[in-house]
């Protein structure tokens, strides 16, 4: 170990021993010219050629050996010289994005750092002995450093640098800072040589990295002055760079000494002299100097503002980011001084305009997320502290328009910061400022007197210019109300209420009344949710929220609005405001509310009582309308007559209408549902027709639907299972990071179990991965606790390989990509219990070892499909073994991926329990802990709340011998999803020759009883909306858009549930998520149901992949150069397969047969082509789906092949989508093709690939009907009484032919016999429709029977085998019952994605990222956008296929492509001009290399030629 330490120190010393490169004196006077010369060598960090140098210059990254160590990076030293940091209650309530970013790295394992590696080698212990007490070498080094001899000083400094570069805080416990720091700082000053100054600065840097608390000593002894002097002198480039890096490291912890020593000038004066990497260090130093500036530093800051402002115009995004962060820190530091804030904003707000330019508009596409957040923080602090800046911001149309766009898009990140900025733009009302006991959401200033002055000025400016308030309300009023329900964050919701309160308080009465009228009108218009209008919004919060702070804000808004608009009283009464105020004002309110988030229940009750006495005294006006509705409901219940329906419709058509409160409390919902609930289908149809007639006015129908959705939002109490405190993108990252941590388990023999041959293991605590299963634990434990030589020997043979020394249970990760490795560690503590100190040591050691060994995402051995031998060839063993899909829809969520557990003999099987609950072998540890350990609570709404602290607890599992060979019974809940989705049964009736699917009244038991009746009403209304043309006789009638039936609150809850990694991966998703989609698809949009399907039906690995992708998109912003850390776990393995392009269908069938059931992602390569990755893979799925549709296979109903067309052409379907041609029972080859097609589609869905295979709605319905079949079978079910009308969408020509036959029966019955037809299928004389049908002639008497037989055979009997084969193949890959989340018409979009959208130039500019030579103003990019926006639909498909490998786009269109669609400049090859070159693409990364064409015409010709002729092969470009 000592030798290793010496070697490491020597190597480090050699690395740090580089000489200096002096800068010529003449160049120092001309830094810009020098910078140009230096800039030509930026990429390799070498000095200019005209500099004199002797050795390789110092590597600028060498000093920062622990730059990836978050512990060192974020350490804030604590010492008497620096007072402890406390939360400033006067700071604005804005989340610190940097703190979140830094904290996210805090859990990185020690094994990922240099110290971790050295500790494994034993070097740290050697260094500890080297630097420990009693060692004399450090004293000798100190003497050398202080020696007057130049050589000795160099020797001592070089050796010290080597030691410090590999040291840790633990190894330097006895290092004397008081002795070494003054000596090193003295070496920084002249007349020391530049070499000595360089090594001294480097030693200080290494010292701060290795011993973070040394920063206070270095700052105290004045290191900043000589370092700044070296930078300003800039005689030697190496010394200047090292001085800059040392200052940056010092300023992280102590920026004030550097600031007063001239740090700004030192860092930025000669910025262009340095390479780009060192420029970033200088920008980071300047940003650190802006943190917490002292009040007397404003003059220093003002002098440095021009230099800092220049960074905002730098072309490097990282430098821009540091500059914006610096301005944000300055605004926060000087938030108490309006004068200082206005100086920072610059003359005529020049600096602020630069920041706004970075924040808004098209430039946002290249701004890092952290810079964007910092710009919002800067604007927020500046607006709070200065009335002038607040007014300037309120009048800045560009900023307001940009913030409006951000709020309109719920998927945009950083909504919390946007809301905080909006909150800062308006002053606080006097009532709010004087409120006691409330934690204010609005930003405040340190001094109450300063606050009063600034607030007075802000109010005066608003009063003088009311158009500012009017414009603010016009843009944000409705969006803020909408944002309340879409934000789960409690702080965000309080911010929304704070903004609304300010707006209502300062808006003039006429402006406010006009805005509320517009809002109410918007709530009654199609496509806008009714529950968003103002009065309902306030009453809804009062009835639902138990948060006292929210209730207090709502009461303040209510009081302020009613004082300005007394006419609101009637509307509020209709929405139930009086009843809610009486409930809050009651004496028992304090017992039912929660004060966990602050607030005084007595004050809230007193406020409600005051409002009642002041605003609602006297006679109420709702009694008459509510009484009328109750009477109508009673009469409709007792006398189901259309008269009462007409009266109900008239009530909705009144001037004041019907509110959601009146609809809910009048009993009208129960009465209407009871009226429609009858057993006779004919009577049910007639009543639906009567109701449609009564509600014939689209306005009345729309109002009833909107009010019903409002009632659903009021009464629903759908519980969530979420992690406590998790909200927004940060929670996803935190949850994913938690899944990388092992659980602590104590395995204990069941008490009072006197079984022989079983030992107790409770003296040990083991660590195990969350995704390890109970079977993994059994394998680990069995050889340790089961006694008896025979059983021990047998168990040893069958147990998984194990490292006895560390107690590590190893799994076959290479062969099972989905099987988590149960790495169980066995710390030994003898016979005693483990104390806290021991537990912490073992936990830290084992966790770092455990996760250092994980290696996900590796590529399996490539395989070549050999069609001649009938199998696949590969260099080594095959990839992961096949694994059948879960057999029920619930299994996709309730169980984790099975592991390759080796079963033990029945006599020694172990049974595990936690808190008395028996655990199944395939349950994960995460499932066991979350479901049975009791480590959760319930909030007021009934939601389950899990806490991350469960990882800190030791969970006890008891074990005993299993009583029998039977596996534990499945949990009763495990099949709930299957029962929900498969009971979609509709009663069928044929009326007027057309089949009618009537709405049913069966509801899933998983759906809460509180919402069943309202869901039934909405189901019937949705049916009426879809069949309005049939019911009224007007086929063109359309009452409402189907999307209007979506319930935003239910959707937001589902999305919130699916964004929490812990419940998602442990199978704790509430069953109502599936029930609501099964019983009321119309409430949830297609995109959300796709999200539910992808999160719960494709396995844990795919669910985690989706979360990681969404996290990257939301937090790291793929269009930026962010360096935010990314959490990665359970990466999916890739299986590369090489196939023959000329025989692509045969290769596909063989490959899918071999690999469809495996969990790895398929990647396709072609023989003779060098291309690999995503592009060839997408093209494979496209080409195969087209190959299966050719005329030569004859699988589908198709129009006749055009004369002369080859048989390999793609067919033209006879109807709307692909429908199989009918076959005779013996055609097994066709059935095999459909079996392959089902597997092929299933694998495409699992891997997230899009197909060019648009199935008809009728065929999709047949496939989905197989999901209702008994387990392990796939039997197609006939969809009721099939009629001729059903044939129209499948084969319109056949429909007209059969329809004409039926007409002949009426006009010329004798001519039917002359046709000499028999009971055989038209066009297929070998297929008999009835027994001996070829001998039975069709006549006028049996023409009806003939038509019915043809229709049934075409639509069911002749395609049943194909549908069952497809369903069987699909079910082998994905549980078929999971398709019940969709309507048959939606299966096409699930498989094929969306069609080409409308590409406007604005949309394309937002969707395209420019890089490497291009920006959005480049002429070539402008040409491309113009060409794309004018393309036809077919040209768009060709372009998408050319650039991505798939002719379809994912959900969300071009803007949602991952990776982002990027356009870069292509350099012409030698001898060619740009106009003679063609564009090329990297399909794997959606990368278009576009030459810089000279004109639009040339660009169009070249691009269209490329997308037409450039298909069909992949090569290196």
């Amino acid at each position: 170990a000592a030798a290793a330490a010496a070697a490491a120190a020597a190597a480090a010393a050699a690395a740090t021993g580089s000489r200096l490169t002096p800068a010529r004196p003449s160049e120092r006077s001309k830094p810009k010219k020098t910078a140009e010369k230096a800039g030509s060598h930026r990429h390799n960090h070498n000095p200019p050629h005209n500099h004199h140098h002797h050795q390789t210059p110092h590597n600028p990254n060498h000093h920062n050996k622990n730059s990836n160590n978050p512990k060192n990076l974020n350490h804030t030293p604590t010492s008497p010289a620096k007072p402890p940091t406390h939360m400033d209650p006067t700071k604005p309530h804005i989340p610190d994005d940097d703190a979140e970013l830094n904290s996210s790295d805090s859990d990185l394992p020690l094994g990922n750092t240099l110290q971790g590696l050295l500790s494994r080698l034993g070097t740290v212990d050697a260094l500890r002995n080297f630097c420990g007490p009693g060692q004399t070498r450090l004293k000798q080094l100190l003497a050398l450093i202080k020696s007057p001899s130049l050589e000795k000083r160099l020797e001592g400094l070089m050796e010290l640098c080597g030691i410090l570069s590999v040291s840790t805080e633990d190894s330097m416990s006895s290092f004397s800072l008081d002795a070494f720091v003054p000596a090193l700082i003295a070496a920084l000053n002249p007349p020391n040589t530049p070499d000595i100054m360089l090594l001294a600065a480097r030693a200080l840097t290494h010292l701060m990295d290795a011993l973070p608390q040394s920063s206070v000593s270095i700052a105290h002894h004045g290191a900043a002055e000589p370092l700044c002097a070296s930078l300003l002198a800039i005689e030697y480039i190496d010394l200047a760079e090292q001085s800059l890096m040392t200052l940056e490291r010092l300023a992280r912890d102590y920026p004030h000494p550097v600031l007063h020593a001239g740090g700004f000038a030192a860092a930025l004066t000669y910025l262009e002299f340095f390479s780009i990497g060192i420029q970033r260090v200088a920008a980071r130093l300047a940003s650190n100097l802006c943190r917490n500036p002292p009040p007397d530093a404003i003059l220093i800051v003002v002098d440095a503002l021009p230099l800092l402002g220049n960074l905002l115009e730098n072309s490097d995004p990282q430098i821009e980011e540091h500059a914006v962060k610096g301005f944000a820190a300055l605004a926060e530091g000087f938030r108490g001084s309006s004068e200082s804030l206005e100086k920072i904003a610059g003359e005529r707000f020049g600096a602020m305009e630069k920041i706004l330019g970075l924040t808004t508009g098209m430039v946002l596409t290249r701004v890092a997320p952290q810079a964007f957040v910092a710009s919002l923080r800067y604007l927020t602090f500046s607006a709070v502290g200065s009335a002038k800046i607040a007014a300037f911001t309120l009048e800045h149309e560009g900023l307001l328009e940009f913030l409006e766009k951000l709020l309109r898009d719920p998927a945009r990140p950083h909504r919390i910061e946007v809301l905080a900025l909006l909150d800062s733009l308006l002053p606080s009302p006097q009532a709010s400022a004087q409120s006691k006991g409330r934690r204010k959401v609005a930003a405040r200033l340190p001094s109450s007197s300063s606050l009063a002055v600034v607030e007075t000025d802000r109010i005066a400016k608003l009063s003088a210019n009311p158009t500012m308030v009017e414009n603010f309300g016009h843009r944000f009023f409705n969006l803020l109300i909408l944002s309340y329900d879409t934000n789960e964050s409690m702080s965000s919701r309080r911010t929304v209420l704070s903004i609304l309160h300010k707006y209502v308080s300062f808006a003039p009465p006429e402006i406010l009344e006009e805005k509320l009228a517009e809002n109410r009108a918007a709530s009654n218009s199609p496509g806008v949710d009714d529950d968003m209008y103002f009065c309902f919004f306030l009453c809804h919060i009062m009835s639902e929220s138990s948060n006292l702070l929210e209730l207090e804000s709502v009461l303040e808004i209510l009081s302020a609005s009613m004082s300005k608009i007394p006419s609101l009283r009637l509307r509020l009464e209709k929405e139930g405001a009086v009843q809610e105020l009486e409930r809050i004002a009651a004496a028992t309110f304090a017992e039912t509310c929660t004060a966990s988030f602050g607030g005084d229940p007595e004050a809230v009750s007193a406020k409600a009582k005051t409002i009642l006495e002041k605003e609602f005294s006297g006679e109420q006006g709702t009694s008459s309308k509510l009484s009328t509705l109750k009477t109508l409901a009673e009469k409709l219940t007792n006398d189901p007559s259309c008269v009462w329906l007409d009266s109900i419709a008239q009530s909705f058509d009144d001037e004041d209408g019907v509110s959601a409160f009146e609809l809910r409390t009048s009993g009208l919902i129960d009465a209407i549902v009871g009226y429609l609930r009858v057993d006779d289908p004919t009577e049910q149809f007639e009543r639906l027709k009567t109701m449609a007639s009564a509600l014939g006015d689209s306005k009345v129908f729309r109002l009833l639907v909107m009010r019903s959705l409002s009632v659903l939002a009021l009464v629903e109490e759908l519980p969530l299972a979420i992690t406590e405190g998790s909200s927004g993108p940060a929670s996803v990252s935190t949850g994913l990071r938690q899944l990388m941590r092992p659980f602590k388990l104590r395995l204990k023999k069941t008490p009072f179990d006197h079984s022989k041959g079983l030992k107790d293991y409770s003296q040990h605590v083991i660590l195990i991965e969350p995704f390890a299963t109970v079977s993994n634990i059994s394998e680990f434990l069995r050889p340790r606790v089961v006694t008896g030589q025979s059983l021990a020997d047998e168990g040893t043979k069958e147990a998984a390989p194990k490292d006895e020394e560390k107690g590590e249970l190893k799994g076959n990760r290479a062969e099972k990509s989905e099987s988590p490795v149960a790495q169980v560690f066995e710390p030994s503590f003898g016979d005693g219990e483990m104390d806290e100190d021991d537990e912490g040591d073992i936990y830290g050691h084992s966790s770092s070892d455990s996760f250092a060994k994980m290696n996900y995402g590796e590529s399996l051995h490539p395989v070549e499909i050999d069609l001649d031998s009938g199998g696949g060839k590969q260099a080594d063993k095959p990839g992961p073994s096949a694994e059948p899909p879960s057999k029920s829809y619930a299994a996709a969520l309730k169980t984790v991926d099975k592991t390759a557990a080796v079963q033990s003999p029945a006599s020694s099987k172990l049974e595990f329990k936690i808190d008395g609950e028996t655990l199944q072998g395939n349950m994960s540890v995460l499932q066991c802990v979350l479901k049975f350990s009791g480590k959760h609570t319930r909030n007021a709404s009934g939601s389950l709340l899990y806490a991350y602290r469960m990882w800190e607890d030791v969970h006890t599992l008891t074990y005993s011998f299993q009583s029998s060979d039977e596996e534990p019974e499945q949990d009763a809940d495990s099949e709930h999803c299957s029962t929900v989705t498969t009971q979609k049964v509709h009663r069928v009736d044929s009326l007027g020759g057309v089949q009618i699917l009537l709405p049913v009244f069966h509801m899933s038991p998983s759906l809460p009883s509180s919402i069943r009746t309202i869901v039934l009403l909405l189901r019937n209304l949705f049916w009426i909306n879809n069949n309005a043309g049939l019911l009224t006789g007007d086929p063109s009638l359309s009452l409402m858009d189907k999307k209007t039936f979506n319930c935003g609150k239910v959707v937001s809850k589902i999305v919130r549930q699916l964004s929490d990694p812990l419940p998602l991966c442990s199978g704790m998703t509430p069953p109502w998520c599936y029930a609501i989609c099964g019983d009321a698809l119309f409430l949830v949009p297609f995109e959300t149901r796709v999200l539910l399907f992808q999160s719960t039906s494709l396995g844990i690995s795919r669910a985690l992949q989706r979360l990681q992708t969404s996290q990257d998109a939301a937090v790291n912003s793929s269009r930026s150069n962010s360096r935010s850390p990314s959490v990665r776990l359970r990466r999916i393995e890739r299986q590369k397969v090489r196939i023959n392009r000329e025989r692509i269908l045969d290769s596909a069938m063989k490959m899918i047969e071999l690999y469809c059931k495996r969990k790895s992602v398929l990647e396709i390569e072609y023989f003779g082509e060098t291309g690999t990755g995503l592009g060839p893979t997408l093209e494979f799925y496209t080409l195969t789906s087209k190959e299966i549709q050719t005329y030569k296979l004859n699988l589908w109903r198709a129009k006749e092949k055009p004369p002369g067309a080859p048989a390999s052409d793609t067919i033209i379907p006879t109807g709307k989508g692909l429908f199989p041609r009918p076959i005779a029972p013996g055609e097994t080859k066709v059935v095999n093709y459909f079996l392959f097609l089902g597997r092929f589609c299933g694998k495409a869905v699992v891997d997230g690939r899009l197909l060019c295979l648009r199935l008809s709605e009728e065929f999709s319905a047949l496939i989905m009907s197989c999901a209702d079949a008994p387990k392990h079978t796939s039997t197609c079910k006939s969809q009721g009484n099939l009629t001729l009308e059903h044939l129209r969408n499948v084969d319109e020509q056949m429909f007209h032919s059969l329809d004409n036959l039926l007409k002949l029966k009426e006009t010329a019955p004798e001519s039917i016999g002359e046709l000499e037809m028999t009971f055989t299928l038209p066009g297929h004389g070998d297929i008999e429709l009835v027994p001996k049908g070829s001998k039975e002639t069709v006549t006028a008497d049996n023409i009806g029977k003939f038509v019915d037989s043809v229709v049934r055979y075409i639509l069911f009997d002749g395609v049943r085998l194909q549908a069952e084969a497809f369903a069987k193949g699909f079910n082998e890959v994905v549980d078929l019952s999971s398709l019940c989340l969709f309507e048959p018409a939606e299966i096409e979009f699930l498989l094929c994605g969306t069609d080409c959208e409308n590409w406007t130039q604005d949309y394309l500019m937002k969707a395209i990222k420019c890089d490497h030579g291009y920006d959005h103003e480049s002429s070539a990019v402008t040409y491309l956008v113009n060409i794309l926006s004018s393309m036809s639909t077919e040209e768009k498909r060709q372009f998408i296929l050319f650039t991505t490998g798939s002719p379809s786009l994912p959900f969300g269109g071009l803007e949602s492509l991952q990776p982002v669609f990027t356009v870069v400049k292509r350099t012409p090859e030698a001898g060619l001009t740009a106009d003679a070159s063609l564009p090329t693409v990297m399909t794997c990364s959606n990368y278009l290399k576009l030459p810089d064409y000279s004109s639009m015409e040339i660009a169009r010709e070249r691009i269209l030629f490329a997308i037409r002729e450039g298909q069909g092969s992949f090569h290196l470009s």
Side-chain angles (χ1 to χ4, degrees), residues 1236-1273:
F1236 153 74
L1237 194 57
R1239 294 169 175 169
F1240 177 71
C1241 292
K1243 187 61 177 174
V1245 169
V1246 170
D1247 286 357
R1249 312 306 187 199
L1250 296 178
L1251 304 176
C1252 188
L1253 191 75
R1254 300 196 175 272
L1255 304 178
S1256 66
E1257 180 179 348
E1258 288 73 16
F1259 186 50
S1260 298
L1262 284 176
I1263 296 170
M1264 295 174 65
S1265 70
C1266 299
D1268 291 339
K1271 201 171 184 180
H1272 308 302
T1273 65

Side-chain angles (χ1 to χ4, degrees), residues 1106-1126:
R1106 182 195 64 78
L1107 284 175
Q1108 290 163 352
T1109 302
S1110 64
Q1111 174 205 7
D1112 293 342
V1115 180
N1116 294 337
S1117 181
S1118 57
R1119 292 175 173 82
S1120 68
N1121 295 306
S1122 173
R1123 302 164 310 286
S1124 302
S1126 180

Side-chain angles (χ1 to χ4, degrees), residues 776-887:
N776 292 132
I777 301 176
S778 179
E779 293 171 15
F780 164 80
L781 185 64
R782 183 173 166 272
R784 290 168 170 77
V785 298
V786 178
T787 60
Q789 187 62 36
S790 60
L791 286 179
D793 293 343
E794 187 177 10
T796 303
K797 292 177 182 178
E798 297 187 5
K802 177 180 68 67
D803 185 343
E804 292 290 348
E805 190 170 319
K806 290 186 178 180
E808 177 183 344
L809 178 63
K810 298 180 179 179
N812 194 355
R813 186 178 298 275
E815 294 186 359
K816 291 288 286 184
S817 63
E818 287 285 330
S819 301
V821 179
Q823 299 191 357
V824 189
F825 294 85
E826 183 186 13
S828 178
F829 304 97
D831 296 331
E833 293 292 331
M834 180 178 68
D835 58 29
E836 291 183 3
D837 294 336
D838 289 337
E839 179 184 352
D841 293 341
I842 294 297
Y843 179 81
H845 169 71
S846 58
S847 63
S848 60
D849 281 345
S850 168
F851 293 107
K853 296 177 182 178
M854 290 189 178
N855 186 16
Y856 298 111
E858 53 193 29
S859 180
L860 301 175
H861 299 279
V863 174
E864 297 179 357
I865 296 298
D866 187 352
L867 296 175
D868 298 328
S869 63
K873 298 187 302 181
Q874 60 183 12
D876 205 341
K877 59 187 178 181
S881 58
E883 182 179 333
S886 54
K887 293 301 181 181

Side-chain angles (χ1 to χ4, degrees), residues 719-825:
L720 297 174
I722 56 178
T723 308
E724 191 173 11
S726 59
S727 176
S731 68
V732 176
S733 175
T734 306
L736 292 174
R737 188 170 292 106
Q738 288 296 121
L739 293 176
M740 298 176 66
R741 297 179 57 192
F743 278 108
K744 302 177 186 179
L745 296 184
R746 187 184 300 277
L747 305 178
K748 183 179 181 180
K749 183 180 177 181
T750 302
F752 308 108
D753 183 359
H754 304 293
S755 302
K756 295 182 179 180
L758 191 63
K759 297 189 300 185
D760 185 30
Y761 200 72
S762 60
Q763 70 272 24
H764 304 284
V765 172
I766 66 172
L767 303 179
I768 188 166
E769 296 179 20
F771 294 112
T773 63
V774 175
S775 297
N776 292 132
I777 301 176
S778 179
E779 293 171 15
F780 164 80
L781 185 64
R782 183 173 166 272
R784 290 168 170 77
V785 298
V786 178
T787 60
Q789 187 62 36
S790 60
L791 286 179
D793 293 343
E794 187 177 10
T796 303
K797 292 177 182 178
E798 297 187 5
K802 177 180 68 67
D803 185 343
E804 292 290 348
E805 190 170 319
K806 290 186 178 180
E808 177 183 344
L809 178 63
K810 298 180 179 179
N812 194 355
R813 186 178 298 275
E815 294 186 359
K816 291 288 286 184
S817 63
E818 287 285 330
S819 301
V821 179
Q823 299 191 357
V824 189
F825 294 85

Side-chain angles (χ1 to χ4, degrees), residues 104-127:
S104 65
D105 277 345
S106 60
D107 292 332
L108 290 177
L110 182 64
N112 290 344
T113 64
L114 174 63
Q115 287 80 1
L117 176 62
L118 295 175
S119 66
R120 294 168 185 268
L121 297 175
T123 310
V124 171
D125 294 333
L127 286 171

Side-chain angles (χ1 to χ4, degrees), residues 54 179 263 337 472 501 550 576 644 780 814 992 1025 1095 1164 1202 1287 1475:
H54 305 284
S337 171
F472 184 90
H501 180 212
E550 290 187 7
W644 312 126
F780 164 80
N1025 185 68
S1095 300
I1164 307 301
L1287 190 60
D1475 289 346

